[in-house]
Amino acid sequence: MIISILILCSTNLLVAQYEDVGCATSPLTDSDIPEGYSNSTDSQLLMSYDPIVFNVYYWGINEDDGTAPGSPNDISITEERALRSIQMLNISFNKHNIYFKYTGFETFNNSLYYEISGHNEPGYKNFSELLNFAQSNNNQYYKTNAINIYIFKPYDFAGIALRHKNAIGMHQYFGQDFSRIGLNAHEMGHNLGLWHPHDGYIYPYVEGNPYNTSCEVVNRNSNNGQPYNADIAGDRVVDTQAAPDFRKEHYWELILDFNIDPEVAEDTYTPWLHYNQNDCAWESHPKGIDCLDEPYQIFLDYDNKNIMSYAPWECVNDILFTPGQLIKTWETIQIDEDGHFALSENSIASLYEPYKGEYYVAGPSNPAADKPLFQPGFEYRFVNCDCFAEEDCSSPTPYEEGNSTFSSTSQLLLSFNKEEPNFDNITHPNHSAIKIIFPNIPSNDPLLDPKRCYDNWNKAAIGGSLTKFNDNVFNTNVTLYPQDSASINNPNLINTIDPGLYKIEKVYEDGATQQTVIIKDNQ
């Protein structure tokens, strides 16, 4: 069955696709702040933006009885799926200096908002109503300091975002696997101010049709008598070519060229009829024209694989944005029309903080809790660090201390790439500092230095040895005394040995070793 999607009749509402689900968009009625956007496509300007971090919080919606029928394993959301979403968002946006910090998830039970309609289907709530409910009673299900992502069962669409409102809604399969990376990035693109490249799209010019006012013409030359309107029509980004809705071209052909009733066309059109899904190329055809009868000029990658387009998911999972789109996201963040971005912004230092678990400091250990976990989606390098004698590194040193506790040649102890599938593995090992590889940051930038040295020796050793240098000098004439956990941790160990030169070596459960040389005299 083919299901269509409708952008809700609100000036800021955007609806997106899910897998093979199409989109039936309403005419765009809002306009950008004239003085707020530069319409720039300058890649040098794009490189000038400093990294920014946003908090993200997830909400899973269940039926009144706490069930979520139809969702994976009948569970609306899990921490693993939320982390998979954060992983996909960071993979998609980190290369553009935009970062997301996972701050948690919750669920709530309410059958009224379990299944949401994208086009006001009778008997169903829409996303605006869900958000109003979430923000009622002093923001009961809305975090003012985060981008809020709601996971529910969509009746007739896959994802939705309220532009610059920090509110996104997505299908329950949003974080199931990497085939959904496009859905997550697409919706976040909407939240950051982007429209679909095909907004305003229609085939021939039709007198009186509401699309005409926002139909972006193909022509980019304003000197030949034809209008140049890429800055005020379509998606209002000048380097996204005027393009059709790749999925629904045949739908419009049936309506406009064959006078087929829209409901019949909805049930009979062939999705992506003019799009070759094998090589992700749009196949030009006689009816591939804009509202002024100009043939579309569709180019590979940025046009027919653009993440904000309705190309098939397998063709947009490279997450391609144009420079103009990215600059518009940054300018949307800077304009911050409603103040939501400033409220949800966090620091770069927050990326060096675990989302879960605790650092062992002292006393009895708790293996279930003593494991600080870090969110996926980053290139992590945990390198050896040695705490200076005058410093206390039983907890990680403050982020601001920079590289004072390790060497540039520090040994790599553990590393993870951004696609790491086992989230429980991404932990900060003892005796190491954290290095995050930030894309597009110069190699000599202090931001790339390891941070937060954790060099804790308070936990009891699991064993070790006592080596006596029989000649009281460092040579091979030694006697080795193996020690078990009880003896090596005995505070009176030194009192029990004869005078002489010794090396005490402690071995810890994480593989670390600590050596101490002592000279015991006759006193």
Side-chain angles (χ1 to χ4, degrees), residues 207-502:
E207 189 67 34
N209 192 294
Y211 280 89
N212 295 336
T213 59
S214 61
C215 178
E216 179 183 346
V217 298
V218 169
N219 189 288
R220 289 299 202 263
N221 183 358
S222 59
N223 298 321
N224 65 354
Q226 291 183 337
Y228 171 92
N229 69 349
D231 55 341
I232 60 172
D235 65 348
R236 302 175 178 88
V237 175
V238 301
D239 62 355
T240 53
Q241 302 295 323
D245 175 345
F246 297 117
R247 176 186 169 83
K248 300 200 73 170
E249 285 186 275
H250 188 219
Y251 168 85
W252 287 109
E253 286 181 285
L254 292 175
I255 293 174
L256 297 171
D257 299 331
F258 298 98
N259 295 317
I260 302 297
D261 181 89
E263 290 187 7
V264 175
E266 187 68 49
D267 291 333
T268 58
Y269 81 93
T270 302
W272 297 296
L273 180 63
H274 303 295
Y275 192 103
N276 189 327
Q277 293 177 243
N278 293 322
D279 61 7
C280 299
W282 179 76
E283 299 172 342
S284 180
H285 57 99
K287 292 297 182 182
I289 54 179
D290 75 346
C291 50
L292 291 180
D293 294 340
E294 287 281 325
Y296 284 113
Q297 299 173 22
I298 305 301
F299 302 99
L300 284 174
D301 296 342
Y302 276 141
D303 291 332
N304 58 306
K305 294 176 68 175
N306 192 283
I307 183 58
M308 302 309 296
S309 77
Y310 276 142
W313 283 124
E314 60 267 26
C315 292
V316 299
N317 277 343
D318 289 336
I319 317 299
L320 290 172
F321 295 99
T322 66
Q325 285 177 313
L326 292 167
I327 289 171
K328 185 160 188 174
T329 66
W330 277 102
E331 291 176 345
T332 300
I333 292 168
Q334 292 174 331
I335 293 169
D336 200 5
E337 206 169 325
D338 301 298
H340 291 298
F341 292 131
L343 289 173
S344 60
E345 187 175 345
N346 207 329
S347 65
I348 289 292
S350 71
L351 301 179
Y352 293 82
E353 297 287 347
Y355 69 86
K356 184 179 181 181
E358 302 290 340
Y359 284 94
Y360 171 81
V361 178
S365 64
N366 180 2
D370 298 338
K371 188 178 182 181
L373 294 175
F374 288 77
Q375 65 181 38
F378 293 91
E379 299 280 348
Y380 290 103
R381 304 289 184 268
F382 294 96
V383 299
N384 180 69
C385 69
D386 296 313
C387 195
F388 296 144
E390 65 272 16
E391 293 183 302
D392 178 14
C393 299
S394 56
S395 294
T397 55
Y399 171 85
E400 295 76 12
E401 284 192 9
N403 61 357
S404 62
T405 56
F406 65 89
S407 164
S408 61
T409 58
S410 295
Q411 177 186 3
L412 177 65
L413 299 182
L414 199 61
S415 67
F416 300 97
N417 63 35
K418 55 182 180 288
E419 293 90 6
E420 171 61 42
N422 299 314
F423 303 155
D424 279 350
N425 290 343
I426 310 176
T427 187
H428 186 177
N430 200 356
H431 317 299
S432 74
I434 308 168
K435 182 174 183 177
I436 298 178
I437 308 300
F438 292 93
N440 296 328
I441 299 296
S443 59
N444 61 346
D445 192 303
L447 184 62
L448 296 180
D449 289 340
K451 314 286 186 183
R452 311 205 73 212
C453 178
Y454 177 51
D455 195 23
N456 185 308
W457 297 97
N458 293 333
K459 191 176 291 188
I462 60 173
S465 62
L466 177 69
T467 301
K468 184 178 189 306
F469 295 92
N470 297 319
D471 299 328
N472 288 328
V473 295
F474 294 110
N475 58 23
T476 58
N477 183 15
V478 299
T479 302
L480 183 67
Y481 302 97
Q483 306 289 306
D484 61 17
S485 176
S487 59
I488 198 68
N489 292 302
N490 183 354
N492 294 312
L493 174 63
I494 295 176
N495 295 331
T496 65
I497 60 179
D498 296 329
L501 177 64
Y502 295 87

